[in-house]
């Protein structure tokens, strides 16, 4: 019966994490390699799961450095 007495705990995504999940798989892979991590860790970060602080800062920097395609 657990669960109906309290709301479900959800991880809130930041704007950079939601922008990352909106990208294509190929583009996410390129950003993950630029941040020197794997696509699996990058997707975990985008979902709001716990990853290392260095991975999180590298991915945030990679996503903010994106420019629109010409």
């Amino acid at each position: 019966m657990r669960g109906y007495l309290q709301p479900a705990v959800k991880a809130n995504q930041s704007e950079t994490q939601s922008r990352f999940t909106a990208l294509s798989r190929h583009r996410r892979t390129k950003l993950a390699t630029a941040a020197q991590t794997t696509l699996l860790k990058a997707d975990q970060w985008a979902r709001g799961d716990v990853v290392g602080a260095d991975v999180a800062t590298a991915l945030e920097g990679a996503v903010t450095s994106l420019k629109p395609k010409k």
Side-chain angles (χ1 to χ4, degrees):
M1 291 287 253
R2 183 194 165 324
Y4 77 95
L5 295 175
Q6 55 189 342
V9 177
K10 287 186 174 181
N12 293 331
Q13 289 182 329
S14 67
E15 169 136 3
T16 55
Q17 289 170 330
S18 61
R19 282 180 51 201
F20 183 81
T21 56
L23 298 173
S24 69
R25 181 186 175 113
H26 180 70
R27 199 121 176 207
R28 287 183 294 145
T29 304
K30 282 187 170 186
L31 288 177
T33 54
Q36 297 178 349
T37 187
T38 62
L39 182 60
L40 178 68
K41 289 278 187 194
D43 284 340
Q44 287 174 350
W45 167 78
R47 281 195 311 262
D49 293 346
V50 178
V51 294
D54 55 342
V55 173
T57 55
L59 283 169
E60 284 178 5
V63 171
T64 55
S65 69
L66 279 177
K67 301 206 178 0
K69 293 172 97 175
K70 291 185 178 182

